[in-house]
Amino acid sequence: MSIIHKTTMSPTKVELLTAWLPGQPWYAAAQRAPELSKAGGFRLDDPEGKVGIEFMVVRDDAGDRPAWYHVPMTYRAAPLAGAGQALIGTTEHGVLGQRWVYDGAHDPVLVSQLLALLQGRAEPQAQSLSDTPDPSVTAEVTGAGFEVPAGVAEASAVANGPDGTRLLVGDGVVLQVTRVLRPESGAETAGVRGHVSAGWRLSEDDEVRGRFAVLHDTVS
């Protein structure tokens, strides 16, 4: 169970992402510094209780129109070996001390739990409350079932591009992590096996839902 501490982080998550986002291939406001604010998200628990797992949505007002970015993140008490390219930054947590913050698409603990969510073996948690399930986050397998070989999270190939992050998760299946969020249309495309959907705030009074991750065949 994740414990959400009501404390400080220096730098904050938003400050870390402000420095990190412009270097990502999906960032749309080229040549402009992000103007970020939190807009939603959820968490998953690490079964071993060592790694914090958060799926954060930030709104960026730097471009000609607002954009909403999905950044899965992990929080660790020590560096993750071999993941230097995925480091978002380090921060000082008011309770836990120094934390290493990673782009979670490259962290085997987050990938494993995201697949567990799709397989019905993990329960989404509220972003800012301890031990509180978030039933608004849904995971649906829409096509044929899939099996994840043991250790596949560590062996997955990860590729970033303008459309998001693709993870090869074995058995001819790709997990596509959405980075630029858009309201879901409800229409399925060929080869889709499942998806994780959640909501985020467009404004203080307006909320929409979309797909944070999509599982599909490699040929799609």
Side-chain angles (χ1 to χ4, degrees):
M1 179 191 73
S2 295
I3 298 175
I4 308 303
H5 299 280
K6 303 300 183 182
T7 187
T8 59
M9 292 181 68
S10 181
T12 67
K13 299 171 190 177
V14 168
E15 288 170 340
L16 288 173
L17 292 178
T18 297
W20 179 79
L21 268 175
Q24 309 313 307
W26 55 83
Y27 183 66
Q31 310 302 319
R32 302 183 189 180
E35 300 175 14
L36 303 182
S37 58
K38 293 182 181 179
F42 65 96
R43 290 178 179 263
L44 292 175
D45 285 337
D46 170 16
E48 297 187 3
K50 296 180 180 180
V51 179
I53 302 172
E54 181 175 9
F55 298 80
M56 179 177 282
V57 180
V58 290
R59 170 177 169 147
D60 181 28
D61 288 294
D64 296 331
R65 63 186 65 183
W68 288 266
Y69 295 101
H70 167 220
V71 186
M73 294 189 288
T74 55
Y75 309 99
R76 289 176 167 267
L80 174 60
Q85 81 287 354
L87 182 67
I88 294 175
T90 59
T91 185
E92 190 69 22
H93 188 279
V95 174
L96 302 175
Q98 188 171 17
R99 308 296 284 175
W100 280 258
V101 182
Y102 288 93
D103 178 6
H106 299 261
D107 191 317
V109 173
L110 183 143
V111 174
S112 176
Q113 289 309 107
L114 184 54
L115 291 170
L117 177 61
L118 279 159
Q119 293 175 311
R121 298 184 290 104
E123 185 176 33
Q125 301 290 312
Q127 186 177 29
S128 303
L129 298 172
S130 300
D131 193 25
T132 304
D134 185 349
S136 72
V137 180
T138 59
E140 180 179 354
V141 175
T142 56
F146 67 102
E147 296 293 332
V148 179
V152 70
E154 290 83 353
S156 298
V158 183
N160 288 323
D163 298 325
T165 304
R166 291 167 57 92
L167 297 91
L168 183 62
V169 295
D171 192 28
V173 177
V174 162
L175 182 63
Q176 179 85 16
V177 177
T178 307
R179 299 298 194 154
V180 183
L181 291 172
R182 298 177 177 86
E184 58 189 0
S185 66
E188 293 290 359
T189 58
V192 170
R193 294 196 181 195
H195 59 265
V196 174
S197 294
W200 69 92
R201 296 182 300 278
L202 292 181
S203 64
E204 289 187 3
D205 302 318
D206 192 11
E207 183 171 306
V208 294
R209 293 182 61 82
R211 295 184 177 180
F212 283 42
V214 178
L215 192 74
H216 58 78
D217 298 323
T218 55
V219 296
S220 66

